[in-house]
Amino acid sequence: MTDVTSQTLRLLRESKGWDVPRMARELRNAARDTGEDIAAHHGLVKMIPQWERGNRVPRERYRLLYLKIFQDMADRVSSGMAFGTELALRLAEVHSRAASLPGPGQVRALEAAALARPGKTMTPAEIRALAAESIASLHEVAGKLAKLSALLGDDEVGEVGS
Amino acid sequence: MSAREDEIRRLVAELDAHIAEVEARVAALKALVADGDIQAEEEDPS
């Protein structure tokens, strides 16, 4: 997992809807299945945020446990193709980040809120332009996801701003 | 590496960049809203 960024660890965890203590439990469960001796729950609860912030790099045994836990996601994404785990995890990360983006309606709501309470840093025209650029970028994301979906031969990739 | 995998890697890199753009712009919009909230409170602390 050397090519997976610290941010990916957080996104993988969040993609399952797990908080840090749950991630710690899952790591311990996975370790128990394989007979691994790993840190106690409270130690993992401290280490996981450090790994996710990039302050520390997880040791190999923890990287292998992450792979074991998220292998199902990697398998689903690679869906039988001969991808390496690194690319499969990159795909999973992109899916997760795209799915957590706001939709155009939410961007419009933010734009309206910003316009209703103007600060001193941007003019209304700049706020409108920022929102329009956000929505344009969202469309770019949707277009690229559609291309990726076609290339992967599946129809589960195209989720933006759920 | 196959041409298909190359294409997938290229698309993932482009997606990464577009997603980062959206994340940055949305963060800027949220910061503007928060900034407006703070100013509104300062002007009307009641």
Side-chain angles (χ1 to χ4, degrees), chain A residues 43-58:
Chain A
L44 289 170
V45 168
K46 281 185 186 171
M47 286 191 287
I48 290 167
Q50 293 174 332
W51 296 336
E52 294 181 356
R53 285 195 299 267
N55 296 347
R56 291 175 66 172
V57 177

Side-chain angles (χ1 to χ4, degrees), chain A residues 81 83 86-87 90-91 94 97 102 110 114 117 119-122 130 133-134 137 140-141 144 151, chain B residues 4-5 7-9 11-12 14-16 18-23 25-26 28 30 32-33 36-37 39:
Chain A
M81 292 182 294
F83 289 161
E86 176 264 334
L87 179 55
R90 285 262 293 147
L91 281 165
V94 165
R97 285 174 65 204
L110 277 172
R117 291 192 169 184
K120 291 171 184 166
T121 49
M122 273 197 180
L130 185 60
E133 287 165 1
S134 302
S137 293
E140 288 284 344
V141 170
K144 300 288 179 195
L151 210 53
Chain B
R4 186 169 177 240
E5 188 173 335
E7 177 68 4
I8 289 169
R9 285 184 185 276
L11 272 173
V12 167
E14 288 176 6
L15 259 173
D16 204 33
H18 286 304
I19 289 170
E21 282 175 5
V22 178
E23 288 171 339
R25 286 171 177 148
V26 168
K30 285 181 178 172
L32 281 173
V33 173
D37 282 345
Q39 283 192 33

Side-chain angles (χ1 to χ4, degrees), chain A residues 7-115:
Chain A
Q7 189 190 25
T8 305
L9 296 180
R10 181 176 61 80
L11 289 167
L12 286 171
R13 174 175 61 78
E14 291 178 349
S15 72
K16 294 270 194 180
W18 295 344
D19 58 12
V20 169
R22 172 72 188 274
M23 186 69 236
R25 284 197 297 277
E26 294 294 335
L27 284 168
R28 286 191 60 77
N29 288 343
R32 192 180 54 217
D33 292 346
T34 55
E36 284 274 342
D37 185 22
I38 65 166
H41 177 80
H42 68 275
L44 289 170
V45 168
K46 281 185 186 171
M47 286 191 287
I48 290 167
Q50 293 174 332
W51 296 336
E52 294 181 356
R53 285 195 299 267
N55 296 347
R56 291 175 66 172
V57 177
R59 290 183 181 178
E60 185 182 27
R61 60 182 165 178
Y62 294 111
R63 297 200 302 269
L64 291 172
L65 289 174
Y66 266 93
L67 280 177
K68 184 170 185 281
I69 292 166
F70 294 103
Q71 192 65 52
D72 61 330
M73 187 183 289
D75 287 346
R76 182 170 61 80
V77 172
S78 61
S79 61
M81 292 182 294
F83 289 161
T85 304
E86 176 264 334
L87 179 55
L89 286 172
R90 285 262 293 147
L91 281 165
E93 179 194 350
V94 165
H95 287 186
S96 172
R97 285 174 65 204
S100 66
L101 291 176
Q106 288 167 287
V107 173
R108 288 288 179 214
L110 277 172
E111 177 191 13
L115 288 169

